[in-house]
Amino acid sequence: MSVRELFNPRSIALVGATDKSGWSISTLGNLRAHGFPGPVHLVNPRGGVVHGMPAHKSLTDIAEPVDLAYVMVPTTAVLGVLREGAKLGIGCYVILTAGFGESGEEGARLEAEIAGFAVEHGLTILGPNGNGYINAAAGVTPYGLPIPPPLLRGEVGVVLQSGALASSVLSFAQARNVGISLLTSMGNEAVVSVTDVIDYLVDDPATKVIALFLETIRNPAEFSRVARRALEAGKPIVALKIGRSTLASHTAQAHTGALVGDDDVIDAALRRLGVIRVRSLEDLIITSGLLASSGPLPGPRVGVVTPSGGASEIIADRAEDEGLELPAFAPETVERLKEIVPAFGTVQNPLDVTGYVLIDRTLLGRALDVVTADPNIDLVMLLSEPPKLAPPDPAPVLAQYTASAERIAASRVPVVVVSNVLTDVTAFGRQVQQETGFPYVAGGIEHGMHAIGAAVRWSRTRARVLSRPEPSPRAEGALRPPGAHGVWAEHRAAALLVSSGLPVVPSDLARSEEEAVAAAGRFGYPVVLKAAAEGLGHKSDVGGVRLGLSAEEEVRRAYREVVAAVPSLDGVLVQPQRGGGIELLVGVVRDPAWGLTLAVGLGGVWVEVLRDTALRVLPVDAGEVRTALAELRGAALLDGVRGGPAADLDAVADVVARVASFAESLGDGLESLEINPLLVTGSRVEALDALITWR
Amino acid sequence: MSVRELFNPRSIALVGATDKSGWSISTLGNLRAHGFPGPVHLVNPRGGVVHGMPAHKSLTDIAEPVDLAYVMVPTTAVLGVLREGAKLGIGCYVILTAGFGESGEEGARLEAEIAGFAVEHGLTILGPNGNGYINAAAGVTPYGLPIPPPLLRGEVGVVLQSGALASSVLSFAQARNVGISLLTSMGNEAVVSVTDVIDYLVDDPATKVIALFLETIRNPAEFSRVARRALEAGKPIVALKIGRSTLASHTAQAHTGALVGDDDVIDAALRRLGVIRVRSLEDLIITSGLLASSGPLPGPRVGVVTPSGGASEIIADRAEDEGLELPAFAPETVERLKEIVPAFGTVQNPLDVTGYVLIDRTLLGRALDVVTADPNIDLVMLLSEPPKLAPPDPAPVLAQYTASAERIAASRVPVVVVSNVLTDVTAFGRQVQQETGFPYVAGGIEHGMHAIGAAVRWSRTRARVLSRPEPSPRAEGALRPPGAHGVWAEHRAAALLVSSGLPVVPSDLARSEEEAVAAAGRFGYPVVLKAAAEGLGHKSDVGGVRLGLSAEEEVRRAYREVVAAVPSLDGVLVQPQRGGGIELLVGVVRDPAWGLTLAVGLGGVWVEVLRDTALRVLPVDAGEVRTALAELRGAALLDGVRGGPAADLDAVADVVARVASFAESLGDGLESLEINPLLVTGSRVEALDALITWR
């Protein structure tokens, strides 16, 4: 399989070409209109003239070499075309034809047949049930829907798990003057997958940013690998991943299961991989366009230069949403701005140079020069945009924008241009950008601020992720114990934790009142009694827990009550009662796609009512756990509440990371491991209860 | 003052007209280009020819009556123009001139002079420091900046506290094919205020929706009045109110003060008034455009009809964000759709009729007919949009869109059309909408779903708010007690609550150990002791609280400790100790703009760490308090946690509403009243502590 050859053929055959098919008309029209330099052959079993050209009756009839066959024949005829093509040495195919996996069992069988044939003969196939691709960088456009002209070449590679949205993406990118390098409509991914295309784009010199529309991430491990490669190459991935609303919950005995929705895990995984997740097609393109134009963006200190007080305040509001800072200007900046801005204006960040820009066309530019020199600023946001309509004499406008472009290019810090509202960049606006070098405009304050925030966060995340060694797959299962099935009661789970060196509250398994009393004596009062029974999940629900026992007689009574309440006991666990401290929940569950996933949160009502947990796909290190803890809404509780001691976050992170690593060591059989609570008292961190569920 | 005359003059004089001023050129150009039917006179002290017309040397020199003077003279000359105009009987003015209140003390003095003169002589003035207005409905456009043609007339009235944003709003509205009735750039509001214009728009038959850009709400009482009028008239107000990020906190001894930021109060107030608050200019116009086109929208059950699976899933995600439901189609709908949708498609809501729409142009329309008939659906969202480019022969396209428009018009339920992405409606698109009656298109799924959500919420809120009697201003201060200043210690605050019939835990003020012991005996052990001292806010911070005293000796010791810890005691309060239950915080603070504001939340860490409170500007009734309680993130705690009893929400709401009403009765001198905690045990609701701060 060669994705590079798929996207860079020197000759193309349209198999199933016919005047009756809109797809056939569009594909040929696209190849002609967008400059495919090589020969295009039409194949139709009846021969004759198609689209005004003589058609060959079969691939075999073409006397010249064919690099790519674009296949539009009926579903059942596809395999025959592949057979013929393989014999002729044609390596690459786009299959537009539908009726495969998406249409039911028989289709899935046909698709499997094709995929198998492809593997056997080393064929590279895009589709089936996909419209093909647009390699704008190379002018190769075997694509079955009309491409609205002009096709803008640029540095954003677009990969779509949707055919119908491609036209919207193209149309919106054009309206933003965002050029694309490659756009692929993936279809059923029988052979070439999204990750194959990402892999290609990471190596493609024409591509700087990768924009994805994802319905599903078929192979998380592979996706993680290519995402890491993209990060290393400095190519941001921006993804619109849908399905936020279909939160399937895992079924697990542990709390954690209910806390971890599929989409939450995807969210955590994408964040970990440094993939920018957006929620709209507008943000997908506007953010990709910005990153293609700016590269990594320093932040978060933004200087804002505008000709409007109202816009300045909208920007201030949105900056806060996006975690961007608008620091006060340095004194020398203020001094210099006061010489420029009219007396009735106010010199502050965000800066409104006032409507006097209509009189003095240099005002905004001179203010920009001053603000970009401010030492407290990482980047500057300039509110501006190219003109919409061409004046009778465009020369003065072009001169003005050339001057602006030169100022921006000469700036010490990056300057991001944002427009007030999201309206199309017109043909004249594109011309101005092209001829003057006036930079990319992030469309509208709303989406523009999102794009800046996302770009700054990506740049920071990138540094952080790359500073960590790439997680090496662990030797899972090293510690898988015998008898690992069902739900392990606390005493067995706790023993396993202890054997692995994790801090667990001491306990004794008593099998009689006498043993319980003796154990209580050893630990000192008060103590806790808990039912220990195989398969018993929520002990307290069945009356299996007795707290705060402060005398021998209370222990005896509690023992009898627990034995009476819970049938088929292994015994009764006796533990010293701990008081005070902060309770955490630490859970590791197996996500069907992404594997073991850590959920950490504050215990009790915090998880039960607020579902306040932070997720990480494993592996994690202690540093990552600290970041996760900081994300909790109740994070301030860890600093100590109502006079209680602050949690030693290093100690907590260390234990949680070791719990995660321990869970990984338990192997494929582990369904979930939950410590609830993990009690934190200053730097003492101790598991008070544990539950392990095996698959 | 007559706002109606201001916006509907029959003749206009441009005072200070000169060929050198862009404002002068634009204003005259606008009046000429957009069809002002009456005479326009130019006034320039030097007379001569201006803009190719003979200019008068003064207003007096104009021999005909003038209804409106548009004033562009230097700042210090403005008052003279008003004097002359008043003498001539000119009642209405737009003052473009800047240099008034916005520029410092001297300017503020000049502005006050103008405002005083206007009041004295009954003049109606828009500005100063404003660009004027565009009455598109009447074709009256005394407006100082270029208006990009075509000026679209429609039913959205726009009021802006920003000059610079007007052009962006006009440009974006045009790109959405949203017509305006009136647009005003308010300037300094020396005479005519935002609320005056809203008042006018409520009565203006050309206006259906009012869109606001607000930097500040100068007069909350007046704003509340006009918002209520708008609600009664069925005219939605959509507002972009900036300043979210500048959260000024009140300084108050009580917790509540810190919990109530200025913007939170504005948010609560706007919600209460049924004003739709948006965060972007895009949402401002798209939402206004939808409501102007749809009127009130039933909801929340939406049927979705699209030609794209990818788009369907984006819509599903966004529907969840917006609180919209996508219920399953009724069985008969599914049956009928199965006859229409190609076999490889899936019949479900959201519906993807598949890319087969490219072959069968009637497919989407036929599916729409079926879905609009579904009995489980309140409204239908149709993914479609007018074409961008005119084909050589537009007739078939026009016929197709006419057919769609007719289907939509004939639908049983409202149909909202949304496009995939936010790109401009082109000139041809506008033509199609105009000629075929194809309805308004909410631009892009992202903003379109927001608009639908907002419209549905507005329609529901409107019914709820109007079903309540208009809050009549209470006779505040009826109960203002003597000695109301400073911070009132618990015993005085509690006594006041008790005197008003509010449930407060019983207590005795003991002035000796003996009295404390006697009181404890009467209440029964365990008891609580608390320092009672004038001006003492947080008692526990100074060691003034002792809990869980279960014997006489403990009471004696606690008494001595409290007396030792807190100087200048009035005595020590003895109360029975309450256990269990759910703790609420109920606070009423005086917002400087909106007046008394209720904050209700769950006590303890919930308010301290999460700031989980719901706000309401007073007055409130018990029903509104129940709604507020339901907004809490921890609302589930009220249903009972860990086996505790559920709170009787009616009882809680009743007490909280009575506390609010009690606070109002205390008069202007009340700064804040806080009950923390209000203990709820089933249907028992009892204040355990109270604090009153007077201004």
Side-chain angles (χ1 to χ4, degrees), chain B residues 18-337:
Chain B
T18 157
D19 286 329
K20 287 178 287 186
S21 157
W23 286 293
S24 183
I25 297 167
S26 289
T27 308
L28 183 63
N30 287 333
L31 289 169
R32 280 178 175 157
H34 299 294
F36 179 63
V40 178
H41 311 282
L42 305 187
V43 176
N44 183 303
R46 281 189 291 276
V49 172
V50 176
H51 307 323
M53 284 168 66
H56 304 272
K57 289 194 171 169
S58 69
L59 280 171
T60 313
D61 282 2
I62 304 172
E64 302 170 46
V66 169
D67 285 351
L68 173 77
Y70 189 92
V71 182
M72 304 173 271
V73 301
T75 312
T76 49
V78 169
L79 187 58
V81 172
L82 297 184
R83 285 217 175 93
E84 188 186 359
K87 212 173 288 173
L88 296 166
I90 304 174
C92 298
Y93 300 80
V94 170
I95 303 181
L96 176 97
T97 310
F100 289 93
E102 82 283 4
S103 72
E105 251 176 63
E106 172 60 13
R109 199 189 56 73
L110 288 173
E111 185 170 322
E113 211 168 40
I114 284 173
F117 186 85
V119 170
E120 199 181 324
H121 295 82
L123 306 185
T124 308
I125 297 178
L126 185 65
N129 188 30
N131 292 314
Y133 66 83
I134 298 167
N135 184 343
V140 185
T141 53
Y143 185 74
L145 295 174
I147 302 172
L151 173 59
L152 305 177
R153 295 173 191 202
E155 294 162 321
V156 178
V158 183
V159 188
L160 303 167
Q161 278 178 336
S162 161
L165 288 181
S167 303
S168 299
V169 166
L170 276 173
S171 151
F172 189 73
Q174 190 187 94
R176 304 313 327 136
N177 197 14
V178 168
I180 61 165
S181 53
L182 176 76
L183 178 144
T184 57
S185 175
M186 294 305 302
N188 294 0
E189 301 182 59
V191 177
V192 172
S193 67
V194 165
T195 46
D196 293 330
V197 180
I198 299 174
D199 234 351
Y200 168 80
L201 293 172
V202 170
D203 297 326
D204 174 27
T207 301
K208 276 193 181 169
V209 175
I210 299 165
L212 307 178
F213 174 82
L214 298 176
E215 296 197 330
T216 179
I217 296 176
R218 292 186 206 279
N219 185 337
E222 186 65 8
F223 187 86
S224 301
R225 185 186 64 76
V226 297
R228 175 83 186 193
R229 282 195 69 220
L231 211 59
E232 281 167 355
K235 297 190 179 183
I237 297 179
V238 186
L240 174 56
K241 164 73 182 74
I242 53 170
R244 285 189 286 127
S245 53
T246 53
L247 290 176
S249 287
H250 304 287
T251 51
Q253 284 254 357
H255 272 129
T256 321
L259 294 171
V260 178
D262 285 348
D263 193 69
D264 296 330
V265 177
I266 290 170
D267 216 53
L270 294 183
R271 232 176 318 129
R272 179 203 178 81
L273 295 169
V275 172
I276 299 170
R277 188 173 187 181
V278 296
R279 76 171 198 182
S280 69
L281 291 168
E282 287 84 356
D283 282 336
L284 181 68
I285 296 305
I286 292 172
T287 306
S288 297
L290 173 61
L291 278 157
S293 136
S294 72
L297 266 191
R301 301 174 305 166
V302 183
V304 177
V305 181
T306 83
S308 158
S312 295
E313 296 203 53
I314 302 176
I315 291 165
D317 286 352
R318 290 288 290 118
E320 182 170 277
D321 298 339
E322 297 293 340
L324 298 169
E325 296 166 17
L326 307 182
F329 290 135
E332 61 269 28
T333 307
V334 173
E335 280 317 302
R336 290 179 60 198
L337 286 174

Side-chain angles (χ1 to χ4, degrees), chain A residues 168 279 282 420 422 446-447, chain B residues 168 279 282 420 446-447:
Chain A
S168 300
R279 76 170 197 182
E282 288 86 355
N420 267 316
L422 183 52
E446 173 67 18
H447 296 278
Chain B
S168 299
R279 76 171 198 182
E282 287 84 356
N420 266 318
E446 173 67 15
H447 296 279

Side-chain angles (χ1 to χ4, degrees), chain A residues 481-549:
Chain A
H485 51 78
V487 176
W488 266 24
E490 180 180 351
H491 61 298
R492 291 183 75 180
L496 199 59
L497 287 167
V498 169
S499 74
S500 187
L502 287 162
V504 180
V505 67
S507 66
D508 269 1
L509 188 64
R511 294 175 198 275
S512 68
E513 271 181 50
E514 295 311 322
E515 283 182 28
V517 168
R522 278 195 299 282
F523 292 131
Y525 289 95
V527 295
V528 176
L529 261 60
K530 297 175 181 170
E534 280 303 340
L536 182 60
H538 293 297
K539 294 181 287 286
S540 51
D541 295 351
V542 296
V545 177
R546 289 292 181 283
L547 303 174
L549 310 170

